[in-house]
Amino acid sequence: MEFVEGLRKRSVGFNSVKEGNNDKLSAGEKTPLRGRSPTIDAGSYWLTRIVFLRSLGFIYFVAFAIASNQNKELLGKNGLLPSDLYLRRIDQHFADAGWRKGLHVPTLLLFTDRSKIDEHLDSLAYAGLALSGILMVFGSANMLIMALLWVLYHSIVNVGQRWYSFDDSILGWESQLLETGFLAIFLCPVVKMHQVPIHTPTPLVVIWGYRWLIFRIMIGAGMIKIRGDQCWRDLTCMNYHYETQPVPNPMSYFMHQSPEIFHKFETLTNHFIELIVPFFIILPRPFRITCGVLQILFQVILIISGNLSFLNWLTILPSIMCFDDKSLAFLFSPSSAKDDVIKIQELSKAGAGPRPTRGLCIRRVFEVMLGAMLAYLSIPVVQNLLSSQQAMNTSFDSFRIVNTYGAFGSVTKERTEVIFQGTRNATIVPDEAGGIWEEYQFHCKPGDPKRRPCVISPYHYRLDWLMWFAAFQNYQYNPWLIHLAAKLLANDEQATSLIAYNPFFNGTPPTFIRGEHFSYKFTKFGSKEAKAGYWWKRSKIGSYFPPINLQAVREYLKSHGWKLPIVKKKLKS
């Protein structure tokens, strides 16, 4: 109890720290005013950690909520891409070296009963919801909780297949959440859970790890744009972005109507934020704070103008590490954590601060090791940033500890959509026109031209997102589309839960389903179409996939290991 004894012997006007509670300052103690209101000095990061952990808890909660609501339908035993089949393929691939399997595909599901995959997916999601809820509410955690959250989400992502990745690259927000979550493990005490643990100050290596993360995110996004699409160089990309982004929202419609001079200004601002502002991080404190403010404002604008899952919410997190306690003190009432930080700073000024413990010395060794590992894993990332063949959203290690990022290296100039249509006409010849075709509506992707674009961020509909990619590919490249069509032919409840409207929910399922390819454009604000209630105007491009029935796809499903859906005559309304 040397720390307590030292406080008792010093005549600095402080109340004694109660014995047995020297890891957290007593809430009942008061800080001496010394003739002025106590303030927080710059340079400490106790409050920063609280804000950061609460924010990370929110993002984790959203991510696990998405998993709990959609993973069985997408990845379950009867999902569109069953993860039990995926795990069997992994078993076969690593049959001669089981230990390599866990290193290349780190997931707890490798050690579970594959016949109960739905229950295991639910268990991962619910455990993640519980732990992230604790983090969000209390603003504190320990290394055990943070490590468990990271392992749980890793376990989902690594069996997520196309729903969590695209073209063999993990989606940007998934790798970014895993990297953010990994660094957060080292923010916290090993076991104890205190908002202001005086023997576990916020590690500088983690603070700079997050600053390095936001630097890579923004520089990566800026460089891929400059090297990629010509429209970023001639300042015309924003003429198309709002209309052609994966899932527009209502504000996207109005921002698309802006004059071209404003779109050019937006593009220039984007280049400034992504290519210039990140370098403020290595400059003195006022520049770092300016960098944090600009980065957060930039992400807020992106949140307002589109539905990019929790990506922009997540990107705010490393920017928080640009602020110290003095910058964030206004977020806290003059009690509890804020008082504790003031007391710690006053004790430190008086020379009565806590002495280094053996545990703190051990942590310092591990922090040095963490810094060395981050530096080593950053080598291929830096090489990628400097390369003329820069890759976006790529991981160079299977644990995705340090990744490379980038977004919208090219901008789609025209929006196309795949529209699912079904008919009960049993006499229709599949390759001929005829019959009454009714449209399925998805939750957020454009369909009915009169339907208002949705507001869903930070939540995420994974099926809607992948439908955007599928629209500028073909169905042969996306076999899950035919699996979805087969399930809709059977009125499969799991499949219909993934969409907003099933025209055949209250009766006989359709006999045929087809995919039609349409071009979509925003209507002009104030135009005749807009006044009539149309958000979109569309024109047919052609057929995306021909009319199919269950008999026609039986062998196709079998070749992929998928079960033929059982026809449901009537669904619950």
Side-chain angles (χ1 to χ4, degrees):
M1 303 300 293
E2 294 179 353
F3 174 51
V4 175
E5 291 300 320
L7 288 178
R8 288 173 176 166
K9 293 177 182 179
R10 295 179 187 274
S11 303
V12 292
F14 292 105
N15 294 325
S16 298
V17 177
K18 296 180 181 179
E19 293 196 29
N21 192 33
N22 66 326
D23 193 59
K24 182 177 184 293
L25 294 176
S26 172
E29 294 179 2
K30 303 297 181 183
T31 305
L33 298 180
R34 295 185 175 179
R36 60 179 176 82
S37 298
T39 58
I40 292 180
D41 297 327
S44 67
Y45 295 89
W46 305 97
L47 301 182
T48 304
R49 172 165 48 189
I50 297 171
V51 174
F52 181 89
L53 288 176
R54 277 211 167 104
S55 302
L56 179 56
F58 171 72
I59 300 298
Y60 262 135
F61 191 88
V62 172
F64 283 112
I66 295 168
S68 67
N69 291 335
Q70 300 177 41
N71 274 5
K72 288 196 300 296
E73 294 77 6
L74 300 174
L75 300 169
K77 196 169 186 64
N78 294 312
L80 293 178
L81 290 174
S83 52
D84 58 328
L85 298 180
Y86 178 69
L87 289 168
R88 288 195 194 105
R89 292 196 294 270
I90 293 173
D91 290 338
Q92 293 169 0
H93 182 75
F94 292 101
D96 58 337
W99 62 272
R100 289 176 53 209
K101 181 168 57 176
L103 291 177
H104 283 77
V105 189
T107 173
L108 295 175
L109 294 174
L110 288 171
F111 312 103
T112 59
D113 182 354
R114 309 297 161 71
S115 65
K116 297 180 179 179
I117 193 68
D118 288 6
E119 291 88 339
H120 298 318
L121 287 169
D122 278 345
S123 297
L124 293 173
Y126 294 146
L129 282 171
L131 293 174
S132 57
I134 292 172
L135 182 60
M136 184 168 48
V137 170
F138 293 102
S140 63
N142 56 39
M143 294 182 75
L144 300 177
I145 289 177
M146 299 312 302
L148 189 53
L149 279 167
W150 184 70
V151 169
L152 290 171
Y153 202 63
H154 238 305
S155 296
I156 294 173
V157 168
N158 284 308
V159 298
Q161 304 168 77
R162 294 294 292 278
W163 310 113
Y164 284 79
S165 63
F166 185 70
D167 282 343
D168 298 323
S169 295
I170 193 170
L171 289 175
W173 57 83
E174 312 296 359
S175 56
Q176 192 174 322
L177 179 52
L178 289 171
E179 180 171 350
T180 303
F182 177 80
L183 285 174
I185 296 171
F186 302 91
L187 271 178
C188 307
V190 177
V191 177
K192 294 182 180 180
M193 286 184 60
H194 295 315
Q195 284 192 337
V196 186
I198 63 173
H199 287 301
T200 313
T202 308
L204 282 176
V205 66
V206 178
I207 293 171
W208 280 101
Y210 282 121
R211 291 172 181 174
W212 173 226
L213 172 58
I214 190 61
F215 182 89
R216 280 181 286 122
I217 291 170
M218 304 314 294
I219 290 292
M223 293 300 293
I224 201 71
K225 290 180 175 67
I226 293 297
R227 290 170 172 154
D229 203 320
Q230 176 65 32
C231 70
W232 288 113
R233 298 189 291 275
D234 60 26
L235 309 183
T236 60
C237 272
M238 298 308 292
N239 294 357
Y240 314 101
H241 168 74
Y242 297 114
E243 183 178 73
T244 63
Q245 64 179 305
V247 186
N249 67 14
M251 187 58 68
S252 308
Y253 174 84
F254 294 104
M255 295 189 76
H256 178 72
Q257 319 288 332
S258 303
E260 185 168 359
I261 187 66
F262 181 75
H263 288 317
K264 289 184 180 296
F265 172 75
E266 287 178 306
T267 310
L268 282 172
T269 302
N270 181 92
H271 293 332
F272 174 71
I273 295 293
E274 292 183 342
L275 293 171
I276 304 298
V277 173
F279 289 96
F280 289 9
I281 289 173
I282 61 176
L283 298 178
R285 180 175 178 270
F287 289 93
R288 283 201 303 273
I289 293 175
T290 301
C291 174
V293 170
L294 291 177
Q295 296 295 354
I296 290 174
L297 287 175
F298 182 57
Q299 297 306 318
V300 169
I301 291 171
L302 295 178
I303 290 168
I304 292 171
S305 65
N307 292 298
L308 295 175
S309 181
F310 51 79
L311 173 63
N312 306 119
W313 302 75
L314 176 61
T315 305
I316 289 174
L317 265 62
S319 299
I320 293 174
M321 288 301 176
C322 292
F323 303 95
D324 57 17
D325 290 344
K326 185 176 182 178
S327 310
L328 299 179
F330 73 96
L331 296 174
F332 294 80
S333 60
S335 62
S336 185
K338 190 173 180 179
D339 270 357
D340 288 348
V341 173
I342 292 173
K343 283 188 282 237
I344 290 173
Q345 291 185 346
E346 293 291 341
L347 288 170
S348 180
K349 290 177 185 177
R355 297 180 181 181
T357 63
R358 181 182 300 176
L360 184 58
C361 292
I362 294 174
R363 283 187 69 95
R364 291 287 185 258
V365 173
F366 277 95
E367 287 166 13
V368 172
M369 294 170 63
L370 173 64
M373 181 181 69
L374 294 177
Y376 175 75
L377 294 176
S378 295
I379 294 174
V381 172
V382 173
Q383 290 173 338
N384 180 71
L385 282 173
L386 298 176
S387 172
S388 60
Q389 302 298 316
Q390 179 189 353
M392 294 191 302
N393 304 323
T394 299
S395 300
F396 298 98
D397 67 280
S398 59
F399 291 96
R400 301 183 175 101
I401 294 173
V402 181
N403 311 292
T404 182
Y405 301 98
F408 295 105
S410 61
V411 173
T412 307
K413 308 304 187 296
E414 294 183 2
R415 181 178 202 93
T416 60
E417 294 289 345
V418 179
I419 304 298
F420 276 61
Q421 298 175 343
T423 181
R424 289 196 180 105
N425 191 335
T427 62
I428 182 174
V429 179
D431 58 355
E432 293 181 0
I436 299 175
W437 295 93
E438 298 184 72
E439 291 189 8
Y440 292 85
Q441 299 296 329
F442 289 72
H443 285 291
C444 270
K445 92 174 195 68
D448 179 359
K450 281 192 171 184
R451 191 177 66 169
R452 177 182 61 81
C454 74
V455 177
I456 195 61
S457 175
Y459 195 75
H460 180 48
Y461 290 114
R462 296 191 181 277
L463 177 59
D464 291 50
W465 185 273
L466 217 58
M467 290 291 291
W468 178 75
F469 282 105
F472 48 82
Q473 297 170 338
N474 55 55
Y475 74 89
Q476 291 91 343
Y477 190 77
N478 298 280
W480 56 268
L481 273 170
I482 303 303
H483 195 194
L484 173 61
K487 283 179 170 289
L488 294 178
L489 282 165
N491 266 349
D492 179 84
E493 292 185 8
Q494 282 196 339
T496 55
S497 71
L498 291 169
I499 63 176
Y501 173 67
N502 171 18
F504 306 97
F505 76 95
N506 199 19
T508 305
T511 308
F512 293 99
I513 281 184
R514 68 184 183 185
E516 297 291 272
H517 209 186
F518 282 87
S519 171
Y520 274 70
K521 291 183 178 295
F522 277 137
T523 58
K524 291 186 178 180
F525 184 68
S527 67
K528 187 182 298 183
E529 296 95 335
K531 290 179 180 178
Y534 288 88
W535 291 81
W536 300 94
K537 55 182 178 180
R538 71 181 188 182
S539 56
K540 184 176 178 180
I541 298 173
S543 173
Y544 187 82
F545 64 83
I548 58 174
N549 59 17
L550 281 176
Q551 186 61 34
V553 298
R554 182 186 298 270
E555 292 302 318
Y556 184 84
L557 298 180
K558 185 178 179 180
S559 69
H560 285 83
W562 300 330
K563 298 177 182 177
L564 187 71
I566 299 174
V567 176
K568 304 288 185 182
K569 293 298 183 182
K570 187 174 181 178
L571 291 178
K572 295 178 182 179
S573 59

